[in-house]
Amino acid sequence: GDGAAAVRKARALHPELVLMDIWMPVLDGVKATQQLKADPATADIHVLALSADCYPPAPQRALDAGCDVFMSKPVDPDQLLAEIRAAFRRDLLDASAC
């Protein structure tokens, strides 16, 4: 429902991936992502930003906050799935480098 609730839920459930809307009440998606990335317990959660606001500076703000990817709405389902796969592929590559 809002960014503050999203942060609470992510902290409680620790998902591997969050689809973060950028424009939400109470706490926007940029600030919510900053909170997740600043917390060592949730910093490893992948965050894919989604927004109908694709004009500068929105995409860069989302990426600067720690989002892995910015996608403009409406989102193409195939492209979304490709971005999700790419995020987890990077995890596998990082793990194999150890």
Side-chain angles (χ1 to χ4, degrees):
D2 64 70
V7 170
R8 285 192 304 275
K9 193 170 229 177
R11 286 181 174 148
L13 300 176
H14 200 277
E16 292 186 48
L17 173 77
V18 170
L19 300 178
M20 183 73 75
D21 193 352
I22 295 302
W23 294 106
M24 293 186 288
V26 181
L27 185 69
D28 70 32
V30 169
K31 290 182 179 126
T33 299
Q34 288 170 333
Q35 288 185 14
L36 291 175
K37 295 300 182 172
D39 182 346
T42 56
D44 64 332
I45 296 173
H46 292 286
V47 180
L48 276 66
L50 307 173
S51 182
D53 181 1
C54 60
Y55 298 102
Q60 193 60 53
R61 283 185 62 233
L63 295 172
D64 290 346
C67 294
D68 296 273
V69 174
F70 179 91
M71 299 182 72
S72 60
K73 294 179 185 176
V75 174
D76 175 86
D78 292 332
Q79 183 182 4
L80 177 60
L81 187 55
E83 292 293 353
I84 291 169
R85 285 183 176 141
F88 290 110
R89 194 173 309 115
R90 284 189 297 274
D91 278 354
L92 292 174
L93 291 173
D94 290 345
S96 68
C98 295

